[in-house]
Amino acid sequence: RELPLSKREAIIQAVRRYLANNETCPFAFKSNDQARIIAGEEEAAYAWTAVNFVTGALLESAWGSGTATPARAYGSLEMGGGSSQIAFFRPEQDIL
């Protein structure tokens, strides 16, 4: 997200070409939307989900989509080169 638009687009196009090549990539890449630069809010949600999955906080209720409970959910803090994301469970709100 910190690079100029032309460089970001060149990189994402190279990634999309790689993913679309069935000889180099085993994934079913069907649409350019499957490879994109995610927003900071999405990054925080994915980090929070990963932390709570790895620690087992999502496993007990993971039938279907899974839910977290306040007593078991962990918060996450991620610090990168140009941004930080903090995510935690609030029962009265959606994750995003």
Side-chain angles (χ1 to χ4, degrees), residues 27-79:
F27 302 110
F29 186 75
K30 305 280 186 208
S31 165
N32 281 346
D33 290 339
Q34 290 176 289
R36 61 186 177 83
I37 298 168
I38 63 173
E41 293 87 357
E42 290 174 287
E43 193 175 344
Y46 289 132
W48 181 90
T49 301
V51 165
N52 283 282
F53 179 80
V54 169
T55 60
L58 296 180
L59 293 179
E60 284 184 14
S61 300
W63 186 263
S65 60
T67 56
T69 58
R72 294 206 44 176
Y74 293 89
S76 67
L77 167 64
E78 179 186 6
M79 297 173 68

